[in-house]
Each structure stands twice: as C-alpha cells, then as structure tokens.
C-alpha cells in the first residue's frame, strides 16, 4: 500500500501532531507499506504564521523508512500580525454563513464552503504542496491528513484523493475548548472545516467526547474510530530525580508544567495558582519546561514588576533526558490547557507515577478520571487549580495512589502500539476497497 500523509510539521519538529503521525507512519513502514509525508519547512512551530522564526533547509529526506517532502511556506508582510487577523476574519465570515437562510439549501452551502476554502488557502500559504498534489497522479493508494486547523494543507489532499478515487482518512486533532461558545472552538469548527470532515471516509477521534461531537455534526458513527494517542515507555525510561535537582538547583517539592508556555496551555493560571499557594506558606517550586511564547514572556515580565520569585523556574525547551529527569523529580504535573485534544504529557507523567491536574476542556475529561488518577478543574480557574495542587502536595499518599492508577491505565491502553492497533484496520480496509474498485 502506498500511503500519503499530509501534516503541517513532521520530524524533527517536536509536538503532539508531529509525534503522532511519526509513530503511525513508521509502524506502517515496518508493516511493509510505502509512506510519504508532505509537510512544510517550518522549523519553529510559530514559523507557520511568523516569517521571522526558523525554517528547515532540508526539503527532501528519508527518516526511518518514511519519505519526507517539505514545501516552503510563503508569508505576507508582517505575517505575525496579518495571519492572526486573517484567521479572525475567516471565523467571522464562517459565523456569518451560519446566518444565511436555510431555504437556499445545499447550493448556497456549497458557495460558502468554496469561498471559505479559497480564503483559507493562504493560512498558511504553501503553494508548492498544492502543486505537488496536482502532479501526483497514480502515486498513492490512500491519503490521510492531520490537524483540521490547517485546512489549507488538508483541502488539496482531500481534493487529490477524490480526483484519484482513493480513500481520505482524517485525524482532526480538533480543539473543542472549554464550552460550545469557546472562542477556541470557533477556529476548529468553521463551516468549511466541518464540511471537510463530513466528506472524509474515516475520522480518527481522540476521545469519546470528540466522537460524540462528530456524530452531532452528522458523521455516521461507523466512520469514526477512537484512536487516541500514546507513548513508548522505553523512550521515557531512565529519569534521574537527583540529576534534575542538581542541574536546576531544585530543593523543594516540584509542580511541573511541561509544554509550551502560553495562555491557552494554562501556564498563566498555573503561575497565578502557585503564587496563591506561596502566599499561604506552601513551599514548592514551579518548574515550567517547554518553548516560551512571546505572549507568556511579556505577561510574566509585567506580572513580576521587576521582582522575580526564585521558586518560579522557567527553563524553556529541554532535552528528552532533562524532561525525564524532571518527571522523576516532580510531585505533580499541571497542564490546565484548553488546547489539548488528548494530552500526551499526561501519559508521560503517569508513566512516572505522577498525579496530574488538567482543565475541563476538549477531550481531557475523557482522559483524566477526576479524583482517581488526577483532577480536572475549569479552564482559567486559578483558585480551583491552587486547591487541587495544594491537596496533592499535602497528601503524598493520595498523590501516589493517583499516579499509580494513571500508570496502570497507560500500560493497559495508551502505548503507541495500542494506538496503531486501533487505527491500522482503517488503512487496511481502505486499501481493500481501493483494490476491489480497480
């Protein structure tokens, strides 16, 4: 089977989508299939919309048997300002389409969807990828796309699949936010994005909550597969708590925030929660490990008013070894994010026996069993977050029981081998249907 995967970034990029598709792609190769990945040249994640960031120079290579073709992004002047403005305008136009009289029926729906796709073509703008898909006649048997937020890549991939008469599989990685009215959800559920999902042959949902969402959007249940995400336990082995404490000068219990430091990731609220606890006399360090966004850096400088707290350690991006050492040293993981459709970080923490605290957003309430392997708090509620962190820091036995429950769940359900076993049959059935139709 010749498989094309399309995604906004791939190895060596670091992130949930990047890791997810890499694991699936490499397992398909080991099963004897040919896998090609079409992606962008974004080095830094922010390069997708900010031309000032770093790109990758190597455009074609093979990694672990997977052929990678990277296509150059094009940026408008002042893209770091124009791109967000264009996305907001697209959301508003999609909302306007929802007000159009239903009496005009499917024809007008098609007009709106086509208009939205034409505008989304520039967000991000990857013209060479679209051209390569137009030229790739007869090269693939199955196309799969990942991350519905980057529909400028997915729509040409879907169009190629339909032109070739081959199946299109979709990993939406949708962010449903904290409520139906969430501003975040609007960016992932625009009219044309939903139309793309409905037109896909298979949707790989992350959780049962996401599956239920797609059913409400009119997707037949038999076309939805709950794949989830996973980890490779051996890749996380060997964390050394003493090494982390010595390297970073940490002596107190550690609350670990692992991931990009950003508002939507709940990093602001985690800092606010810890400041509440410090004011109450709780002795613990907050360690933030992950890429620091410009917005978080500005907010932190403004909120500190020139007086930094030694108990707050912002490390920036860390190596895999340092991440494992920090997981071994930490007492609890805090990721009260509204932009995680599942949250691989929770699995990594559980593997090290840590309790976790997440936000009641997206699929997280399906991932964390509140009160059993961690806690779920409302997104943005620093007071509730502080309460749960204080409870875990003050009760090591409770924290240990929760962490052990999480570890058992990971090993039973959430390794990449488990995930691949759930999604592989969809590729095989797609190939069988393709063979039968030829």
């Amino acid at each position: 089977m010749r498989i094309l995967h399309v995604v906004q970034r791939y190895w060596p990029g670091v992130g949930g989508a990047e890791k997810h598709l890499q694991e699936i792609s490499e397992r398909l190769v080991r099963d004897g299939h040919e896998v090609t990945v079409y992606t962008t040249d974004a080095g830094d994640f922010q390069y997708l919309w900010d031309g000032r960031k770093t790109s990758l120079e190597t455009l074609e290579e093979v990694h672990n048997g997977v052929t990678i073709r990277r296509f150059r992004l094009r940026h408008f002047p002042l893209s770091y300002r124009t791109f967000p403005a264009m996305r907001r305008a697209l959301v508003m136009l999609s909302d306007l389409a929802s007000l159009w009289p239903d009496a005009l029926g499917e024809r007008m729906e098609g007009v709106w969807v086509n208009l939205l796709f034409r505008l989304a073509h520039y967000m991000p703008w990857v013209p060479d990828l679209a051209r390569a898909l137009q030229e790739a006649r007869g090269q693939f048997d199955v196309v799969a796309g990942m991350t519905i937020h980057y529909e400028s890549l997915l729509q040409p991939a879907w169009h190629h699949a339909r032109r070739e008469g081959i199946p299109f599989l979709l990993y939406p990685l949708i962010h449903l936010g904290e409520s139906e009215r969430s501003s975040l959800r609007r960016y992932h559920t625009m009219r044309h994005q939903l139309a793309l999902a409905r037109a896909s042959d298979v949707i790989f949902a992350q959780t049962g909550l996401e599956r239920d969402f797609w059913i409400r959007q009119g997707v037949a249940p038999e076309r939805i597969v709950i794949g989830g995400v996973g980890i490779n336990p051996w890749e996380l082995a060997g964390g050394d708590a003493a090494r982390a404490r010595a390297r970073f000068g940490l002596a107190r219990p550690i609350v670990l925030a692992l991931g990009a430091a950003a508002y939507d990731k709940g990093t602001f609220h985690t800092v606010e929660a810890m400041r509440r606890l410090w004011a109450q006399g709780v002795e613990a360090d907050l360690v933030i490990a992950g890429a620091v966004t410009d917005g978080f850096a500005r907010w932190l400088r403004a909120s500190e008013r020139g007086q930094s707290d030694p108990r707050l350690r912002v490390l920036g991006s860390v190596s895999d070894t340092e991440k494992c050492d920090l997981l071994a040293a930490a007492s609890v993981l805090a990721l009260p994010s509204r932009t995680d459709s599942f949250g691989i970080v929770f699995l990594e923490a559980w593997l090290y026996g840590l309790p976790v605290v997440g936000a009641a957003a997206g699929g997280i309430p399906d991932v964390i069993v509140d009160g059993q392997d961690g806690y779920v708090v409302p997104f943005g509620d620093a007071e509730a977050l502080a309460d749960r962190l204080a409870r875990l820091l003050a009760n090591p036995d409770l924290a240990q029981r929760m962490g052990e429950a999480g570890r058992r769940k990971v090993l039973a359900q959430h390794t990449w081998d488990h995930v691949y076993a759930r999604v592989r049959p969809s590729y095989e059935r797609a190939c069988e249907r393709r063979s039968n139709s030829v």
Side-chain angles (χ1 to χ4, degrees):
M1 179 164 43
R2 299 168 303 170
I3 300 164
L4 173 64
H5 281 158
V6 179
V7 68
Q8 72 274 12
R9 286 206 318 161
Y10 190 74
W11 176 92
V14 177
E18 295 85 343
K19 179 66 171 176
H20 194 154
L21 202 60
Q22 182 183 357
E23 292 292 340
I24 300 301
S25 297
E26 293 180 3
R27 281 170 170 75
L28 286 165
V29 167
R30 290 199 291 270
D31 277 353
H33 304 294
E34 297 178 15
V35 180
T36 301
V37 173
Y38 281 11
T39 186
T40 74
D41 66 335
D44 290 344
F45 178 69
Q46 293 179 73
Y47 187 71
L48 288 162
W49 65 86
D50 186 348
R52 302 172 301 174
K53 302 300 181 179
T54 304
S55 63
L56 297 174
E57 293 301 320
T58 303
L59 297 183
E60 295 193 23
E61 63 182 313
V62 176
H63 179 71
N64 291 342
V66 178
T67 299
I68 307 168
R69 290 190 64 186
R70 301 185 183 93
F71 299 90
R72 294 205 181 281
L73 286 151
R74 299 289 182 259
H75 296 94
F76 289 105
L78 299 176
S79 59
Y80 60 98
R81 295 187 184 276
T82 56
F83 184 96
M86 291 166 65
R87 287 303 281 183
R88 287 194 295 271
L90 194 67
V91 169
M92 294 172 64
L93 188 59
S94 177
D95 291 344
L96 178 62
S98 301
L99 301 177
W100 201 270
D102 292 338
L104 293 177
E106 293 183 4
R107 184 174 180 277
M108 183 52 65
E109 173 71 12
V111 170
W112 276 112
V113 167
N114 288 334
L115 173 61
L116 291 166
F117 269 127
R118 284 181 180 274
L119 297 175
H121 172 75
Y122 301 100
M123 298 174 257
W125 188 14
V126 199
D128 291 343
L129 184 148
R131 281 194 287 269
L133 284 164
Q134 291 174 357
E135 298 168 358
R137 295 187 179 276
Q139 295 184 19
F140 305 109
D141 301 308
V142 179
V143 179
M146 180 171 280
T147 315
I148 201 167
H149 184 64
Y150 297 99
E151 68 273 23
S152 67
L153 284 69
L154 298 186
Q155 194 271 345
W158 174 87
H159 184 73
H160 170 79
R162 287 296 172 264
R163 185 179 61 235
E164 295 284 292
I166 60 179
F168 181 79
L169 318 180
L170 177 64
Y171 296 82
L173 304 192
I174 190 170
H175 295 325
L176 296 175
E178 64 275 28
S179 70
E180 292 187 3
R181 296 183 178 181
S182 166
S183 59
L184 178 69
R185 178 182 291 210
R186 294 169 65 207
Y187 283 84
H188 295 79
T189 58
M190 286 184 274
R191 209 171 185 91
H192 61 299
Q193 293 170 329
L194 296 178
L196 178 65
R198 294 189 191 102
S200 302
D201 296 287
V202 175
I203 290 180
F204 294 115
Q206 302 285 65
T207 63
L209 287 171
E210 184 186 341
R211 175 200 58 202
D212 294 344
F213 169 81
W214 289 120
I215 291 173
R216 292 196 300 273
Q217 299 305 314
V219 178
E222 61 268 21
R223 291 199 288 119
I224 305 171
V225 175
I226 301 179
V229 300
I231 59 172
N232 294 318
W234 64 88
E235 291 182 345
L236 293 159
D240 188 322
R243 187 165 57 197
R245 290 189 175 279
R247 176 173 179 78
F248 300 113
L250 303 166
R252 292 173 282 264
I254 298 169
V255 174
L256 178 62
L258 191 58
Y263 177 85
D264 285 335
K265 287 288 187 179
T267 319
F268 291 39
H269 313 116
T270 304
V271 173
E272 291 173 351
M274 290 304 297
R275 285 172 173 166
R276 289 170 183 259
L277 297 186
W278 293 332
Q280 298 168 15
V282 175
E283 282 300 306
D285 289 325
L286 171 59
V287 177
I288 300 173
V292 177
T293 63
D294 294 341
F296 176 75
R298 287 193 299 269
W299 174 84
L300 187 60
R301 286 195 299 268
S303 66
E304 287 179 333
R305 297 181 179 87
Q307 295 184 351
S308 59
D309 193 313
R311 293 167 295 189
L312 172 58
R313 305 296 302 279
V314 181
L315 305 181
S317 298
V318 296
S319 68
D320 289 341
T321 297
E322 291 169 335
K323 177 179 73 173
C324 292
D325 290 348
L326 288 168
L327 287 167
S331 299
V332 57
L333 176 108
L335 182 69
S337 165
R338 64 173 179 174
T339 57
D340 283 80
S341 50
F342 190 101
I344 291 177
V345 172
F346 295 127
L347 307 182
E348 294 174 337
W350 279 330
L351 190 69
Y352 272 86
L354 297 182
V356 302
V357 183
I364 301 307
D366 246 18
V367 177
I368 301 172
V369 180
D370 189 46
Q372 180 174 314
D373 45 37
Y375 289 118
V376 177
V377 300
F379 174 77
D381 191 336
E383 183 176 355
L385 178 58
D387 174 78
R388 302 308 188 277
L389 292 174
R391 195 178 305 178
L392 291 167
L393 290 169
N395 295 276
D397 290 342
L398 172 65
Q400 182 179 5
R401 287 196 302 272
M402 285 187 170
E404 289 174 350
R407 177 178 171 80
R408 289 193 297 269
K409 183 164 67 174
V410 169
L411 296 177
Q413 304 175 36
H414 297 304
T415 68
W416 283 117
D417 286 339
H418 287 114
V419 175
Y420 182 59
R422 291 191 286 265
V423 305
R424 182 184 58 208
S426 294
Y427 284 87
E428 294 171 346
R429 285 193 294 269
C431 187
E432 291 171 1
R433 289 197 297 270
R434 167 67 170 161
S435 300
N436 293 335
S437 65
V438 174

